[in-house]
Amino acid sequence: MAKLSAIEDLVTRLSENEYEKFRQWFWNYENEKWDAKIKKDITENRLTNIANDAIADYKKGNSKML
């Protein structure tokens, strides 16, 4: 947690311009991590299994209109 506290402290000390650049960098970083996770889930058929479970639940009547 010491590292996290240090990062938090540094972020609060950034200028507006530096903070905006950091936010953009972090946004891109998170998106890259998310894309990698989705690609991994696809190659491991995790999304297919989730979809099949949802379809099976729907066919059993275990769903409702939103």
Side-chain angles (χ1 to χ4, degrees), residues 2 7 13 19-20 23 34 38 44 49 52 54 61:
I7 293 168
R13 296 171 189 257
Y19 181 68
E20 183 57 37
R23 286 183 59 221
W34 176 257
I38 291 294
E44 294 175 358
N49 294 337
N52 289 338

Side-chain angles (χ1 to χ4, degrees), residues 15-26:
S15 69
E16 288 296 319
N17 186 44
E18 291 171 322
Y19 181 68
E20 183 57 37
K21 288 179 181 179
F22 171 76
R23 286 183 59 221
Q24 187 62 50
W25 172 84
F26 195 76

Side-chain angles (χ1 to χ4, degrees), residues 36-48:
K37 173 73 170 129
I38 291 294
K39 287 176 184 176
K40 183 178 181 212
D41 288 347
I42 289 169
T43 59
E44 294 175 358
N45 289 322
R46 288 190 179 149
L47 299 179
T48 301

Side-chain angles (χ1 to χ4, degrees):
M1 284 303 219
K3 287 182 184 180
L4 180 57
S5 294
I7 293 168
E8 289 171 345
D9 183 56
L10 288 171
V11 169
T12 63
R13 296 171 189 257
L14 295 174
S15 69
E16 288 296 319
N17 186 44
E18 291 171 322
Y19 181 68
E20 183 57 37
K21 288 179 181 179
F22 171 76
R23 286 183 59 221
Q24 187 62 50
W25 172 84
F26 195 76
W27 173 263
N28 292 332
Y29 177 76
E30 283 191 311
N31 286 330
E32 289 170 11
K33 298 282 271 180
W34 176 257
D35 289 347
K37 173 73 170 129
I38 291 294
K39 287 176 184 176
K40 183 178 181 212
D41 288 347
I42 289 169
T43 59
E44 294 175 358
N45 289 322
R46 288 190 179 149
L47 299 179
T48 301
N49 294 337
I50 292 169
N52 289 338
D53 290 346
I55 291 167
D57 282 344
Y58 175 78
K59 287 180 178 179
K60 290 178 193 172
N62 296 334
S63 63
K64 62 182 178 179
M65 294 296 290
L66 296 178

